[in-house]
Amino acid sequence: MSSPSKSRRRAQRERADSYKAIATEVGVPDMVLLPSLTNKGIVANLKDRLEEDLIYSYIGNVLVVMNPYKWLKIYDQQTMRRYVHRNRVDVAPHIFATGEAAFRTMISEEENQCVIISGESGAGKTEASKQIQNYIASVSGTGGNDGIEAVKKVFLDSNPVLEAFGNAKTLRNNNSSRFGKYFELKFDRFGRPLGGKVSNFLHEKSRVVKPGKGE
């Protein structure tokens, strides 16, 4: 008889394997390989994948994300481990693959890395940013240093505070960021976080003095 913990781990592995299999079978994971690289072809491919809750696809090195407007169970530790030290072509498209590529390239090439997240209101930019931070916090080392662990915790815990002061309800999004955020994370040469900095940039100043109708 297997223990509850073993059964749970087995279920997590099966779910991860199932996700990878479906993610590579439904539509085209990298749309560079579409037979017809047109707007119509791209939209049709994204629609097919979204209907199977596959919100991630590539166009070359660019990760395309669709907001499913519901929580998907694809951000747990088991899923994270599938992307550690893996090339993105060997795993299903995911925001973790982007975080992995940026983090490992930073260490191996000792060069600064930048992840640009863009999209319209309600596209899921804030959530994508948080998932990349969660991934890097999970895979970066600590060397048994409590101070490094504290740095990770402070940076992750800062997200809700920032959102509380700078988000608002709009016609398209109940929790819309009213400012752009530039997160700067600093690491030592071993990939251990040393600190960070957040710069905010106010968006749409007109909304500050005169909110739109219904906002």
Side-chain angles (χ1 to χ4, degrees), residues 7-23:
S7 297
R8 185 164 55 251
R9 288 195 295 269
R10 187 184 307 113
Q12 290 175 334
R13 285 195 300 270
E14 290 174 354
R15 186 170 66 241
D17 291 340
S18 175
Y19 174 79
K20 180 182 179 183
I22 295 173

Side-chain angles (χ1 to χ4, degrees), residues 13-34:
R13 285 195 300 270
E14 290 174 354
R15 186 170 66 241
D17 291 340
S18 175
Y19 174 79
K20 180 182 179 183
I22 295 173
T24 54
E25 291 174 2
V26 177
V28 180
D30 189 340
M31 291 182 285
V32 168
L33 303 176
L34 281 172

Side-chain angles (χ1 to χ4, degrees), residues 119-184:
E120 63 180 8
S121 178
K125 299 182 294 297
T126 300
E127 186 61 33
S129 173
K130 287 192 289 188
Q131 291 302 339
I132 283 189
Q133 291 176 60
N134 286 336
Y135 181 83
I136 292 177
S138 178
V139 301
S140 57
T142 64
N145 189 320
D146 292 339
I148 293 177
E149 203 61 51
V151 169
K152 293 183 182 183
K153 186 176 187 306
V154 168
F155 208 84
L156 293 177
D157 289 350
S158 68
N159 277 306
V161 178
L162 290 172
E163 290 183 31
F165 282 102
N167 285 19
K169 184 180 188 301
T170 67
L171 297 178
R172 303 184 64 183
N173 186 359
N174 287 339
N175 194 37
S176 180
S177 301
R178 294 272 52 83
F179 54 87
K181 295 184 287 291
Y182 181 77
F183 291 88
E184 186 175 358

Side-chain angles (χ1 to χ4, degrees), residues 37-71:
L37 192 58
T38 62
N39 288 342
K40 184 177 180 180
I42 290 173
V43 170
N45 187 68
L46 293 175
K47 181 176 182 293
D48 289 343
R49 292 175 63 78
L50 181 60
E51 288 175 349
E52 295 293 334
D53 287 338
L54 301 174
I55 63 173
Y56 296 112
S57 303
Y58 291 122
I59 299 183
N61 289 324
V62 177
L63 180 68
V64 180
V65 188
M66 295 165 288
N67 191 340
Y69 290 97
K70 62 181 179 181
W71 186 254

